[in-house]
Amino acid sequence: MAEATAGSTGVPGREPGIGRVLAWLDARAGGAADAPPVLLVRLPAGPDGTRQAGRLRSAASRPVPDGAPPVLFLEDLQHQGRPTLDLLVELAGRSGAAAVSVLGSCGPADLPPGHPLAQARDRLREDGLLLELAIDPALDPARDPDRPVAPVDVPGRPGDARRWEATGEHAAAAAALAVLADRAGAAGRPGEAGDLLSRLAVQQDLLDRPGEALLARERAAAAHDAAGRPGDAAQERLTVAVQLRAGAAFGEALETLDLAESGAQEAGRADLLVRVAALRGNLLARSGQGAAGVAGVRAALDRALSDGLWSAAGEAYQRLADSLEHTGDYRAAGRAYEGALQHCARHDQDATGQVCRACAAAVMLTRGLLDRTLALCAEVTDDPDAPRTARAVATGVGGLALALRGRAGPARESLLRARVVAVRHDLVAVDVLTAWGLALLDEEADADPAALRGYRGVVDLVARTQERHYCLPVLMSAATAFARHDRPGDVADVVAVLGQAASTGLPEAVAAYAAALGEAALLADGPGAALPHLRHALDVLTAPDSPGVPVVEVLLRQRTAALLAAGGADRGGGADREPAVAQLRAAEDVARRLRAGLLLRRLHRDLAGLGETPAAAAGRSVRTGLTPREEEVLRLVAEGLSNREVAAHLVLSVRTVEMHAAHAVRALGCRSRTDALRTLAALDRSRVGVPPGTP
C-alpha cells in the first residue's frame, strides 16, 4: 500500500498529521469496510517525534463506541522484537467480534532488509491489512518554527547525556550513553563504561525496550567486574535474573544468581545476599521444588527482618507468597500477601506493595473470589505511579475476571492492552492468562479460529519456557477446544506439556493432565474411553485436601456432562441424560456463586440442549446464597443430626439430603461441611444491623 505524507494529502476539516489518524480511527469505529485494521505512522526523530507520539497516544486512548473494535497503540515498533511484531500480525488478522484496531509508530529511518518490522509490514501489505502514513514535522502547525526538523546529532559528551536524562529525552540520552560507553570501554576505562551502561539500561527501560535494557545490564555487569566492583556487578545480575524469571527461564536465572551471589559475598552486601536467596527460593518453587523453595525464601525473609533490611524484606515477602502459590497453597499465599502489604505500608514501599496487590489478585482469581480480584486490580490500575509490571498483571488479571463475569467489551480491551505489554516485556504468566481470557471471549463470540490460534500460541509458548503453573487451566481449555475441532496433534502436544507439569504431583496439574488425556482418548476411542479420565480429574480437583479451583471445576463438570450426554457412560453408546444434567447443575451452583456470567451462559446453553431450564436464582438468600431447603438442611446438620435423621425430620430421602448439603457447601464457597457450618455461623454473626425481613 502506498505511503501518504500527512499534510500533502490531508483530510478536509482536520489538522495535518493527526487528522488522518483520527479519520482512520473514526472509520474503524464506524465499521468502514475499506479501513485496514493497522495504521503504521512514521514519525520524525527528536522532540518533534516525541510530541507527535504523545498525540498518537492520546488519540488511541479515546473511548470507542459499544461494539467497535478496541484500539491498541504500539510505539517504537522499529525497536521491538519478533514476538511483538508477530502479535501485531496476529491482531491484524482478527475479524468480527474479535477485531482490533492497531495504531503503530516507528522512526523515520528506512528499515534494512530482514528487519522484523519490515517483514511484518510486508506480510500486512500482502494481505491488505495495512495503511501507512508519514508525518512531516514541517507541516505541523503546532511545531516551534525555531526548532530544527533534522534529528539531533549525538555529540558524545557526558554533559549532553545527563541533560537529556534530566529532561526526559530518553532516545537522545540512550544514543549518547551508548556512544560514551563504547568509547570508555575501548579506552580501557571499565569502571566508567560500567556506570554508563547501567545508566543506558535505565533509559532503555524508560523507552520500553526490554531486550536492549537486558543486554546493557549484562554488559554493565561484565564492566563492573573488570573494574573490581563486584557489588555493582551483583546488582545488575540480580536485575537480569528477575527479568529472566518473568520470562519463565528459571534455569538461566538460577545460573545468573550464582554469579550475583559470588559478587555480593565479595562486596559484603548483606542486602543483595538476602535478595538473591529469596529469589533463588522462589525460582526453585516455580521449578517444581516447592518445599525447598519455600524454606529458602522463609530463611531469607527471617534474615532480612532480623537485620532490619526492610526493602529486601518487602521483596522476600512477595517471593514467599508467590512460592506458596506455586505449591498450590492458595490460602497461605493470600495470608502471605496480606503480611507483605502490611510490611510495605509500614516501611513506605509503595512500589513493592502494588506488585503484591497485583499478584494477590491472581491468587484471588484462582480461588474464585472475583469481587476481591477486581478490587485489588483497581487499586493498582488507578495508581499512576504503580510499576509497569504491576499494572500489566493487574490489567490482565482484571480483564480475565471481567471476561468470566461476562463483560466482554471492557474485558477484551483490558486483556489486549495487558497482552501487548506482556509480549513486549516477556511477562510469560501475563501472556498466558490474557491469551486464555481472549480465547474464552472468542469462543463466546463464535470466533473459533481466533480462539484456536490463541490456544496454539499458548502451547508453543509454554513448550519453549519453564512455565508450568498459570498455564494449567489454559491448556486444559485448549485440549477441549482442539478435541472439539478434531485436532489430535494439538491435543497430543498439550498432553506432553501437562505430563511434565503433573510430575510435581500438585492437584491442579494432575487434574489438568487427566482432562487432557481424556480429550486424547475421546478422539481415539470415543466418549466412553474419555469419561474415566474426566472423572478422575474431578475427583482430584474436588478432594477434601485439594486447594479448590472453582473456575476449573465448572469447566470440568461442563465437559464431563457433554461426554455423558454423548453416551460416555453407556457401553451401548446411548446418552446418559440424568448424570449429565446433575453435572451441569453442580457446575451451575459454582458458577452462580462466582457470578461468572460467561460460564453461566455456557452452562445454560448445554442445559437447554438437554431440555432443561436454568435453576431459579430468586429462591436463594441474598445473605447466604442458599435456597431455604439448603439452609434448613445445613442448620439441622449443625445441630448434630446425621443425614438419616435429617431425612426423617424433613421427610426426604437420604440421597436428597446429601445433595442439598453438597450444594450448600459449594454455594458457600467451602470445601467441607465443617467449613460451611463455620461460614454460616459467621454470616449469622454479621447479620447484626441487617434490616428485618432480609433473607
Side-chain angles (χ1 to χ4, degrees), residues 105-407:
S105 73
C106 65
D110 290 333
L111 299 171
H115 189 285
L117 177 56
Q119 294 176 340
R121 184 185 59 192
D122 291 344
R123 292 163 64 187
L124 294 172
R125 283 174 173 172
E126 290 173 5
D127 295 335
L129 301 175
L130 178 66
L131 176 66
E132 299 176 70
L133 172 68
I135 291 184
D136 184 347
L139 301 174
D140 180 1
R143 177 183 165 273
D144 180 356
D146 296 326
R147 185 187 296 274
V149 172
V152 179
D153 291 331
V154 179
R157 295 192 301 271
D160 296 317
R162 291 196 181 280
R163 172 166 56 84
W164 285 324
E165 286 174 289
T167 58
E169 297 285 348
H170 304 306
L177 289 167
V179 170
L180 294 172
D182 288 344
R183 289 179 184 173
R189 301 192 299 272
E192 180 184 343
D195 290 338
L196 290 164
L197 288 165
S198 293
R199 288 163 57 194
L200 173 60
V202 172
Q203 295 303 308
Q204 300 289 22
D205 272 335
L206 292 170
L207 287 165
D208 220 14
R209 302 173 184 172
E212 295 178 32
L214 183 67
L215 178 61
R217 286 199 168 88
E218 290 174 337
R219 291 179 61 201
H224 289 314
D225 274 339
R229 300 190 327 208
D232 292 338
Q235 176 67 67
E236 294 294 352
R237 289 190 172 108
L238 178 61
T239 304
V240 168
V242 170
Q243 190 167 342
L244 292 170
R245 168 189 177 272
F250 306 141
E252 190 176 349
L254 285 167
E255 292 175 1
T256 302
L257 278 185
D258 289 340
L259 296 174
E261 183 178 39
S262 176
Q265 287 174 337
E266 184 178 349
R269 291 285 301 274
D271 59 327
L272 291 181
L273 287 171
V274 166
R275 294 174 62 198
V276 166
L279 181 56
R280 176 179 284 111
N282 182 232
L283 289 167
L284 291 175
R286 285 186 164 219
S287 302
Q289 302 176 54
V294 169
V297 182
R298 287 193 190 278
L301 176 58
D302 290 344
R303 179 177 177 185
L305 293 173
S306 64
D307 292 352
L309 303 172
W310 307 127
S311 178
E315 279 190 28
Y317 263 120
Q318 192 276 329
R319 305 293 186 215
L320 175 61
D322 184 89
S323 300
L324 289 166
E325 177 190 356
H326 278 75
T327 67
D329 195 344
Y330 298 114
R331 293 183 184 275
R335 291 192 295 270
Y337 276 123
E338 290 174 6
L341 289 171
Q342 292 169 6
H343 172 89
C344 291
R346 284 196 302 269
H347 297 283
D348 297 322
Q349 297 176 24
D350 294 340
T352 302
Q354 291 295 46
V355 172
C356 289
R357 280 191 182 87
C359 296
V363 173
M364 297 302 109
L365 180 70
T366 300
R367 294 179 58 191
L369 304 175
L370 300 188
D371 287 336
R372 181 62 176 149
T373 298
L374 291 168
L376 286 167
C377 291
E379 287 187 66
V380 178
T381 57
D382 290 346
D383 177 7
D385 297 323
R388 177 173 51 208
T389 299
R391 293 180 66 83
V393 173
T395 302
V397 171
L400 180 52
L402 289 172
L404 292 169
R405 280 278 161 89
R407 298 179 58 190

Side-chain angles (χ1 to χ4, degrees), residues 411-435:
R412 189 178 293 278
E413 182 176 355
S414 293
L415 290 165
L416 286 167
R417 293 188 187 283
R419 183 139 192 255
V420 167
V421 177
V423 171
R424 177 171 286 188
H425 292 274
D426 204 18
L427 306 177
V428 170
V430 180
D431 193 351
V432 166
L433 291 177
T434 52

Side-chain angles (χ1 to χ4, degrees), residues 452-508:
L452 291 169
R453 284 195 299 271
Y455 283 133
R456 184 64 238 185
V458 171
V459 176
D460 293 339
L461 175 63
V462 173
R464 66 175 180 265
T465 66
Q466 293 175 276
E467 157 53 33
R468 296 295 183 272
H469 175 70
Y470 300 102
C471 66
L472 296 175
V474 192
L475 292 177
M476 192 187 79
S477 294
T480 298
F482 293 147
R484 286 177 52 241
H485 289 83
D486 195 20
R487 294 171 63 158
D490 290 328
V491 173
D493 290 343
V494 174
V495 169
V497 173
L498 287 177
Q500 299 171 11
S503 65
T504 63
L506 294 178
E508 312 99 289

